[in-house]
Amino acid sequence: MFAMRLYRHLRVCLLLAASLFLASQPAWATKRVALVVGNSSYQNAPLLPNPANDAAAIAATLKGAGFDVVDSRLNLAATDMRRALREFADQARNADIALVYYAGHGIEIDGTNYLIPTDARLERDTDIYDEAFSLDRVLLAIEPARQLRVVIVDACRNNPFADSMKRTVASRSISRGLARVEPAVSNTLIAFAAKAGLTALDGNSKNSPYATALVKYIAKPGLDLRRAFGFVRDDVLQATGNRQEPYVYGSLGGEDVALVPAAKAEEPIQAANPQSEIRRDYELALQLRNKPALNAFLTQHPDGYYSNLAKLQLNQLEAEDARVAATAKAQQAEQQQARLMSQGAQRAEQEKAAADLKAAEEARIAAERTKQAAQEQATEAERKRTASESTIVAALSGNKPAVESTVADNPTAAAPGEYSKTPKLAALSDEPRQTDIARADIAKSVQGELSRVGCFAGPVDGQWNAASQRSLALFNRHAGTKLDVKLASLDALDAIKLRPSRVCPLICDRGYRPDGDQCSRITCAEGSFLNDDNECEKRRGKKPVAKRNTDERPSRADRPARERPEPTADVPRRQATVKNSGGGSGQIVCDQSLCRQVSRGCHLEYRGGGGPGGNVGNVESCR
């Protein structure tokens, strides 16, 4: 009992410590910086009343949206504007989102847009390169931002220097409004108050129609930036009678991009249910199945629904102990009777032993019946408990409000006297069977919920095996919970039901890729194959290799027998000489029939040909 209380207090302390630790950690938020410039008081051009008001309204909106840095500047001369851009570039280098808003005069020359400081004179068209700042210079200042870059140009007004500006080259173009621009860096948006080549209107109020719409939509939490500029366009068109249409250049990816993140939805806090703790303590004592554990539970929880269940379980254990003792006593009485009969004891002693054996046997039978009745009562009570918990599981599966137990509201439902009216015999294995059925129902529901949140891919069969335990451990890792994976409990079911969407990442087999909440087969194009990284890779062509063509050559066995070529006598046959044993010349001449010695006084003469076949060859000449 003391250990159980200590464990419960220790668990509460750990939870409190963890919550305090998490509360003390800084929130990892996106760093956002902004530069807001409003030029109204031009030294060499008429006063513009709205830019200063528009810049103040935009700066206040961004500050209210939680931007980390909002640098607001008014009426900047060339030197001040150059310094502001340089300083803001340092801010953007460490930021995730960088935004620049400019309101004032702007001009387009030869397709390039320029922002005009308040001290610009622009007496000739080439002065624009020295006295103004190109839009590319602004884009260069915000380029280091890591995630998103936004430039809002509210400068599409008539050029006040157009009439007095001298043209150094007659072909140089100076257009109305600003020119179309395409940002070279990804995740960059450039918003103009009016479409390229058109001018914007200042309106009749304190702020221009464009700035009024920006303040309304630009910092709306969770609103995608593209949709925000779309709403701005609609409002400006309506306010100006379709005479001014804002325009946005650049592109973003498929994800929603908002300047102000949506407010995090608070998870519903469920009221603590005191019956949950009592139920867990009872299930722990029931798993131990011994009298000390049940007595400890009854000491801590002497009253209530679960205490009645514990008493029934305790009565069953005590009845079993009584049955074992009565059986042992009956065996001793039987042995005593047999011993007296074998020793030939007196009749009175044998009769007494027989009476004792009969009483012991009756006591054993009574203890057996009591034990069976207590077992049936406990089994029936446990069956009703599991049935009520199955009702809870069904309610949770239908997304209905969860209740602890329908029987817990009626503590007298499991009173021991309810089952003592009509005792019935029950098999010893009934209670484990009922408990197994209840646990299978809970395990099946937990498996179904784990499958819904993407943590379980096996069959929902109620078998809480190693695969089910691994799936619950996977849920703990990705959901940050510490549920006991060895048991499919109602606590685990409650925790999983709180997750409205997928928790565990989708893992697909080889040859498949994640596609939403399912795996799709990967189909490689012709000439490609699926590599070890589960990606399609182009198949490389094999280089030709020179090799001996053995297909057309006959094998050695198939070759015909080599024919002996006929010898040809291309040169005179070497003359053979023999030792002169008579009167011959010592030379030999041969024909088709025989060889003989050349006669004395004659010699061999070569007439051409020679060899077998009747050729002439050498002939004997006697001239």
Side-chain angles (χ1 to χ4, degrees), residues 105-142:
H105 276 305
I107 188 174
E108 179 266 319
I109 296 182
D110 283 343
T112 302
N113 301 312
Y114 295 90
L115 309 182
I116 303 177
T118 57
D119 60 346
R121 301 180 63 88
L122 299 182
E123 295 178 351
R124 58 186 65 83
D125 53 7
T126 55
D127 292 342
I128 195 71
Y129 305 112
D130 301 323
E131 300 180 7
F133 295 88
S134 68
L135 188 58
D136 293 337
R137 175 65 182 88
V138 179
L139 293 174
L140 185 64
I142 65 173

Short mmCIF file of all heavy atoms in Angstrom, two decimals, residues 105-142:
data_model
loop_
_atom_site.label_atom_id
_atom_site.label_comp_id
_atom_site.label_asym_id
_atom_site.label_seq_id
_atom_site.Cartn_x
_atom_site.Cartn_y
_atom_site.Cartn_z
N HIS A 105 7.05 58.48 -54.55
CA HIS A 105 7.17 58.58 -56.00
C HIS A 105 8.06 57.47 -56.52
O HIS A 105 9.06 57.09 -55.89
CB HIS A 105 7.75 59.94 -56.41
CG HIS A 105 6.70 61.01 -56.50
ND1 HIS A 105 5.58 60.89 -57.28
CD2 HIS A 105 6.63 62.25 -55.92
CE1 HIS A 105 4.84 61.98 -57.16
NE2 HIS A 105 5.45 62.84 -56.34
N GLY A 106 7.70 56.95 -57.69
CA GLY A 106 8.51 55.98 -58.39
C GLY A 106 8.49 56.29 -59.87
O GLY A 106 7.60 56.99 -60.37
N ILE A 107 9.48 55.78 -60.59
CA ILE A 107 9.60 56.07 -62.01
C ILE A 107 10.19 54.86 -62.71
O ILE A 107 10.98 54.11 -62.13
CB ILE A 107 10.48 57.33 -62.24
CG1 ILE A 107 10.42 57.76 -63.71
CG2 ILE A 107 11.90 57.09 -61.79
CD1 ILE A 107 11.15 59.08 -63.96
N GLU A 108 9.79 54.69 -63.98
CA GLU A 108 10.32 53.60 -64.81
C GLU A 108 11.03 54.18 -66.01
O GLU A 108 10.46 55.00 -66.76
CB GLU A 108 9.17 52.69 -65.25
CG GLU A 108 9.61 51.53 -66.14
CD GLU A 108 9.47 51.85 -67.62
OE1 GLU A 108 8.46 52.48 -68.00
OE2 GLU A 108 10.38 51.50 -68.39
N ILE A 109 12.28 53.78 -66.21
CA ILE A 109 13.08 54.24 -67.35
C ILE A 109 13.72 53.01 -67.98
O ILE A 109 14.42 52.25 -67.31
CB ILE A 109 14.16 55.24 -66.92
CG1 ILE A 109 13.51 56.53 -66.38
CG2 ILE A 109 15.08 55.56 -68.09
CD1 ILE A 109 14.51 57.58 -65.98
N ASP A 110 13.46 52.83 -69.27
CA ASP A 110 14.01 51.70 -70.03
C ASP A 110 13.72 50.36 -69.36
O ASP A 110 14.57 49.47 -69.31
CB ASP A 110 15.52 51.87 -70.23
CG ASP A 110 15.83 52.88 -71.34
OD1 ASP A 110 14.92 53.19 -72.13
OD2 ASP A 110 16.98 53.35 -71.41
N GLY A 111 12.51 50.22 -68.80
CA GLY A 111 12.10 48.95 -68.23
C GLY A 111 12.58 48.69 -66.82
O GLY A 111 12.31 47.63 -66.26
N THR A 112 13.28 49.66 -66.20
CA THR A 112 13.77 49.50 -64.84
C THR A 112 13.01 50.45 -63.93
O THR A 112 12.82 51.63 -64.27
CB THR A 112 15.28 49.77 -64.75
OG1 THR A 112 15.96 48.87 -65.62
CG2 THR A 112 15.78 49.57 -63.32
N ASN A 113 12.59 49.96 -62.77
CA ASN A 113 11.83 50.75 -61.81
C ASN A 113 12.77 51.36 -60.77
O ASN A 113 13.69 50.69 -60.28
CB ASN A 113 10.79 49.87 -61.11
CG ASN A 113 9.82 49.24 -62.09
OD1 ASN A 113 9.28 49.91 -62.96
ND2 ASN A 113 9.61 47.93 -61.96
N TYR A 114 12.48 52.62 -60.41
CA TYR A 114 13.32 53.35 -59.46
C TYR A 114 12.42 53.97 -58.39
O TYR A 114 11.31 54.44 -58.68
CB TYR A 114 14.13 54.46 -60.15
CG TYR A 114 15.16 53.94 -61.13
CD1 TYR A 114 14.82 53.75 -62.47
CD2 TYR A 114 16.46 53.65 -60.72
CE1 TYR A 114 15.75 53.26 -63.38
CE2 TYR A 114 17.39 53.16 -61.62
CZ TYR A 114 17.04 52.97 -62.94
OH TYR A 114 17.97 52.49 -63.84
N LEU A 115 12.92 53.98 -57.13
CA LEU A 115 12.27 54.66 -56.00
C LEU A 115 13.00 55.98 -55.79
O LEU A 115 14.24 56.02 -55.72
CB LEU A 115 12.34 53.78 -54.74
CG LEU A 115 11.86 52.33 -54.91
CD1 LEU A 115 11.94 51.59 -53.58
CD2 LEU A 115 10.46 52.28 -55.49
N ILE A 116 12.24 57.06 -55.65
CA ILE A 116 12.82 58.40 -55.68
C ILE A 116 12.89 58.97 -54.26
O ILE A 116 11.87 59.09 -53.57
CB ILE A 116 11.97 59.33 -56.57
CG1 ILE A 116 11.88 58.73 -57.98
CG2 ILE A 116 12.58 60.72 -56.62
CD1 ILE A 116 11.00 59.54 -58.91
N PRO A 117 14.10 59.34 -53.78
CA PRO A 117 14.23 60.01 -52.48
C PRO A 117 13.64 61.42 -52.53
O PRO A 117 13.34 61.96 -53.60
CB PRO A 117 15.74 60.03 -52.24
CG PRO A 117 16.32 59.06 -53.22
CD PRO A 117 15.40 59.05 -54.39
N THR A 118 13.53 62.02 -51.36
CA THR A 118 12.88 63.34 -51.29
C THR A 118 13.75 64.46 -51.81
O THR A 118 13.24 65.54 -52.15
CB THR A 118 12.49 63.63 -49.83
OG1 THR A 118 13.65 63.56 -49.00
CG2 THR A 118 11.45 62.64 -49.34
N ASP A 119 15.09 64.28 -51.91
CA ASP A 119 15.96 65.36 -52.37
C ASP A 119 16.35 65.21 -53.84
O ASP A 119 17.27 65.89 -54.32
CB ASP A 119 17.22 65.43 -51.51
CG ASP A 119 18.02 64.13 -51.56
OD1 ASP A 119 17.46 63.11 -52.04
OD2 ASP A 119 19.17 64.12 -51.11
N ALA A 120 15.70 64.33 -54.58
CA ALA A 120 16.05 64.12 -55.99
C ALA A 120 15.63 65.33 -56.81
O ALA A 120 14.58 65.92 -56.58
CB ALA A 120 15.38 62.85 -56.51
N ARG A 121 16.48 65.68 -57.83
CA ARG A 121 16.18 66.79 -58.74
C ARG A 121 15.79 66.27 -60.13
O ARG A 121 14.88 66.79 -60.75
CB ARG A 121 17.38 67.72 -58.86
CG ARG A 121 17.81 68.31 -57.52
CD ARG A 121 19.02 69.23 -57.68
NE ARG A 121 18.69 70.37 -58.50
CZ ARG A 121 18.17 71.52 -58.06
NH1 ARG A 121 17.91 71.66 -56.76
NH2 ARG A 121 17.90 72.51 -58.88
N LEU A 122 16.51 65.27 -60.62
CA LEU A 122 16.21 64.61 -61.90
C LEU A 122 16.03 65.63 -63.02
O LEU A 122 15.00 65.67 -63.71
CB LEU A 122 14.96 63.74 -61.76
CG LEU A 122 15.03 62.59 -60.74
CD1 LEU A 122 13.75 61.79 -60.73
CD2 LEU A 122 16.22 61.70 -61.02
N GLU A 123 17.05 66.47 -63.25
CA GLU A 123 16.99 67.46 -64.31
C GLU A 123 17.11 66.80 -65.68
O GLU A 123 16.64 67.35 -66.68
CB GLU A 123 18.09 68.50 -64.11
CG GLU A 123 17.89 69.31 -62.83
CD GLU A 123 19.01 70.32 -62.61
OE1 GLU A 123 20.02 70.24 -63.38
OE2 GLU A 123 18.89 71.16 -61.71
N ARG A 124 17.80 65.68 -65.74
CA ARG A 124 17.94 64.94 -67.00
C ARG A 124 17.71 63.47 -66.71
O ARG A 124 17.77 63.03 -65.55
CB ARG A 124 19.30 65.17 -67.64
CG ARG A 124 20.45 64.78 -66.73
CD ARG A 124 21.78 65.16 -67.34
NE ARG A 124 21.94 66.59 -67.48
CZ ARG A 124 22.34 67.40 -66.48
NH1 ARG A 124 22.62 66.90 -65.28
NH2 ARG A 124 22.46 68.68 -66.68
N ASP A 125 17.45 62.70 -67.74
CA ASP A 125 17.10 61.30 -67.52
C ASP A 125 18.25 60.49 -66.95
O ASP A 125 18.05 59.52 -66.22
CB ASP A 125 16.61 60.67 -68.83
CG ASP A 125 17.60 60.89 -69.98
OD1 ASP A 125 18.70 61.40 -69.73
OD2 ASP A 125 17.24 60.53 -71.13
N THR A 126 19.49 60.84 -67.22
CA THR A 126 20.62 60.08 -66.69
C THR A 126 20.84 60.33 -65.20
O THR A 126 21.57 59.56 -64.56
CB THR A 126 21.91 60.44 -67.46
OG1 THR A 126 22.11 61.86 -67.41
CG2 THR A 126 21.80 59.97 -68.91
N ASP A 127 20.22 61.36 -64.65
CA ASP A 127 20.37 61.60 -63.21
C ASP A 127 19.71 60.50 -62.37
O ASP A 127 19.96 60.39 -61.16
CB ASP A 127 19.76 62.97 -62.84
CG ASP A 127 20.56 64.12 -63.42
OD1 ASP A 127 21.73 63.89 -63.80
OD2 ASP A 127 20.02 65.23 -63.49
N ILE A 128 18.85 59.72 -62.99
CA ILE A 128 18.16 58.67 -62.24
C ILE A 128 19.13 57.68 -61.63
O ILE A 128 18.89 57.10 -60.57
CB ILE A 128 17.13 57.96 -63.16
CG1 ILE A 128 16.15 57.13 -62.33
CG2 ILE A 128 17.84 57.09 -64.19
CD1 ILE A 128 15.19 57.91 -61.55
N TYR A 129 20.29 57.46 -62.32
CA TYR A 129 21.26 56.48 -61.82
C TYR A 129 22.00 56.98 -60.59
O TYR A 129 22.51 56.17 -59.80
CB TYR A 129 22.27 56.16 -62.93
CG TYR A 129 21.62 55.70 -64.21
CD1 TYR A 129 21.67 56.50 -65.36
CD2 TYR A 129 20.92 54.50 -64.29
CE1 TYR A 129 21.06 56.10 -66.53
CE2 TYR A 129 20.30 54.10 -65.45
CZ TYR A 129 20.38 54.89 -66.57
OH TYR A 129 19.76 54.50 -67.74
N ASP A 130 22.06 58.31 -60.40
CA ASP A 130 22.78 58.87 -59.26
C ASP A 130 21.86 59.28 -58.12
O ASP A 130 22.28 59.26 -56.96
CB ASP A 130 23.59 60.09 -59.72
CG ASP A 130 24.59 59.75 -60.81
OD1 ASP A 130 25.17 58.64 -60.74
OD2 ASP A 130 24.78 60.57 -61.72
N GLU A 131 20.63 59.66 -58.42
CA GLU A 131 19.77 60.26 -57.40
C GLU A 131 18.63 59.36 -56.94
O GLU A 131 17.93 59.72 -55.99
CB GLU A 131 19.17 61.57 -57.95
CG GLU A 131 20.22 62.60 -58.32
CD GLU A 131 19.61 63.87 -58.87
OE1 GLU A 131 18.36 63.97 -58.83
OE2 GLU A 131 20.35 64.75 -59.35
N ALA A 132 18.43 58.21 -57.55
CA ALA A 132 17.33 57.31 -57.18
C ALA A 132 17.89 55.91 -56.92
O ALA A 132 19.07 55.64 -57.14
CB ALA A 132 16.26 57.28 -58.26
N PHE A 133 17.02 55.02 -56.47
CA PHE A 133 17.41 53.65 -56.13
C PHE A 133 16.54 52.68 -56.94
O PHE A 133 15.30 52.76 -56.90
CB PHE A 133 17.22 53.38 -54.63
CG PHE A 133 18.13 54.19 -53.76
CD1 PHE A 133 17.75 55.46 -53.33
CD2 PHE A 133 19.36 53.70 -53.40
CE1 PHE A 133 18.58 56.20 -52.54
CE2 PHE A 133 20.21 54.46 -52.59
CZ PHE A 133 19.82 55.71 -52.16
N SER A 134 17.21 51.80 -57.65
CA SER A 134 16.46 50.83 -58.45
C SER A 134 15.80 49.80 -57.53
O SER A 134 16.23 49.56 -56.40
CB SER A 134 17.39 50.13 -59.45
OG SER A 134 18.30 49.29 -58.75
N LEU A 135 14.74 49.19 -58.05
CA LEU A 135 14.06 48.15 -57.29
C LEU A 135 14.97 46.96 -57.04
O LEU A 135 14.84 46.25 -56.03
CB LEU A 135 12.79 47.72 -58.03
CG LEU A 135 11.84 46.77 -57.29
CD1 LEU A 135 11.37 47.37 -55.99
CD2 LEU A 135 10.66 46.41 -58.17
N ASP A 136 15.93 46.73 -57.93
CA ASP A 136 16.88 45.64 -57.73
C ASP A 136 17.73 45.86 -56.47
O ASP A 136 18.12 44.90 -55.81
CB ASP A 136 17.80 45.51 -58.95
CG ASP A 136 17.04 45.04 -60.19
OD1 ASP A 136 15.97 44.41 -60.01
OD2 ASP A 136 17.51 45.30 -61.31
N ARG A 137 17.99 47.13 -56.16
CA ARG A 137 18.76 47.42 -54.94
C ARG A 137 17.96 47.01 -53.71
O ARG A 137 18.53 46.52 -52.72
CB ARG A 137 19.10 48.92 -54.88
CG ARG A 137 19.80 49.37 -53.61
CD ARG A 137 21.17 48.74 -53.49
NE ARG A 137 21.84 49.12 -52.25
CZ ARG A 137 21.71 48.46 -51.10
NH1 ARG A 137 20.89 47.40 -51.05
NH2 ARG A 137 22.35 48.85 -50.03
N VAL A 138 16.66 47.20 -53.72
CA VAL A 138 15.82 46.79 -52.60
C VAL A 138 15.78 45.26 -52.50
O VAL A 138 15.86 44.68 -51.42
CB VAL A 138 14.40 47.37 -52.76
CG1 VAL A 138 13.52 46.93 -51.61
CG2 VAL A 138 14.46 48.90 -52.83
N LEU A 139 15.63 44.59 -53.65
CA LEU A 139 15.61 43.12 -53.64
C LEU A 139 16.93 42.56 -53.14
O LEU A 139 16.96 41.52 -52.46
CB LEU A 139 15.33 42.60 -55.05
CG LEU A 139 13.93 42.90 -55.60
CD1 LEU A 139 13.84 42.45 -57.05
CD2 LEU A 139 12.86 42.20 -54.77
N LEU A 140 18.03 43.23 -53.44
CA LEU A 140 19.32 42.78 -52.94
C LEU A 140 19.41 42.87 -51.43
O LEU A 140 20.05 42.04 -50.77
CB LEU A 140 20.43 43.61 -53.60
CG LEU A 140 21.87 43.20 -53.29
CD1 LEU A 140 22.15 41.81 -53.82
CD2 LEU A 140 22.86 44.20 -53.88
N ALA A 141 18.75 43.87 -50.84
CA ALA A 141 18.80 44.05 -49.38
C ALA A 141 18.06 42.94 -48.64
O ALA A 141 18.45 42.54 -47.55
CB ALA A 141 18.24 45.42 -49.00
N ILE A 142 16.98 42.42 -49.24
CA ILE A 142 16.18 41.40 -48.53
C ILE A 142 16.52 39.98 -48.98
O ILE A 142 15.95 39.01 -48.47
CB ILE A 142 14.68 41.64 -48.75
CG1 ILE A 142 14.30 41.45 -50.22
CG2 ILE A 142 14.29 43.02 -48.26
CD1 ILE A 142 12.82 41.51 -50.48
#
